[in-house]
Amino acid sequence: MRETLAGDASGHDPWHVQRVRRAALHIGRGEGADLYVVELAALLHDIADSKFHDGDEEIGPRRAMEWLASLGVEPVVVEQVGAIVRDLSFRGAGVEQRELTLEGQAVQDADRLDAIGAIGVGRAFAYGGHKGRPLYDPAIPPEAHATAERYKSNRSPTLNHFHEKLLLLKDRLNTPTARALAERRHQFLEEFVERFLEEWEGRDLG
Ligand code: ADP
Ligand code: NI
């Protein structure tokens, strides 16, 4: 994981994975999940993102499973981790989420918590810069993407991503432990968007 994700500037670097690992273990402990599966899935969840591999949705789970199998991890654990890596991702506001195991729910919640709050703001703009997107463009309204294809192919400014995904996440968390953690982070996002627009429109100039 460290080798593969080192130097990533799109918000999926090894530090993201370490934060997700820690939060996923915290959530998994609170929910009584199998922490061995939680930890492996957290460590491997971004090992190969389809966004950066021509939309190949199988590459992440395949790499994760091949790696674990090569280390002699029990096949049932390899399967469990592979399924989590496959079904974790957000695919658009109107796109139905795949069913996850309790372990998967813990990792998904941890991944989503890392997309909100102060770190979430930082990662969103890092991702936007990585993709050459503008910060904001008042002429381009946010969109509720009804299909995964539309969500993935969107080219909208980074501030729109707050409405298209980040502000939706707190209501899409799986576990009570994560929902409690999300409150403060969500509040910060709302305040950030409000201030961003206030400054953009010069309303703070008086
Ligand atoms: P997931 O972890 O659900 O697969 P992503 O990999 O899309 O989600 O998101 C990882 C990080 O990249 C998040 O912090 C997210 O906000 C950011 N990100 C993804 N798409 C965009 C976008 N269009 N604009 C800004 N940030 C984005
Ligand atoms: Ni992630």
Side-chain angles (χ1 to χ4, degrees), residues 69-135:
S70 78
L71 297 173
V73 171
E74 315 86 286
V76 35
V77 172
V78 175
E79 281 298 326
Q80 282 172 296
V81 173
I84 295 172
V85 175
R86 188 178 60 238
D87 297 336
L88 209 64
S89 263
F90 182 91
R91 294 182 165 84
V95 183
E96 208 180 323
Q97 174 64 53
R98 307 216 183 113
E99 201 68 44
L100 285 166
T101 57
L102 181 58
E103 289 70 27
Q105 294 181 9
V107 179
Q108 184 181 61
D109 281 356
D111 195 28
R112 290 181 167 179
L113 284 172
D114 207 55
I116 61 178
I119 290 193
V121 171
R123 290 180 71 215
F125 287 98
Y127 185 93
H130 183 76
K131 293 290 227 174
R133 309 248 172 97
L135 300 183

Side-chain angles (χ1 to χ4, degrees), residues 136-166:
Y136 179 51
D137 183 343
I140 306 175
E143 201 186 325
H145 301 103
T147 67
E149 288 64 39
R150 293 287 298 274
Y151 174 69
K152 278 187 295 197
S153 63
N154 95 87
R155 292 278 162 270
S156 55
T158 299
L159 199 73
N160 290 14
H161 187 65
F162 285 72
H163 298 286
E164 290 165 353
K165 172 178 171 186
L166 305 184

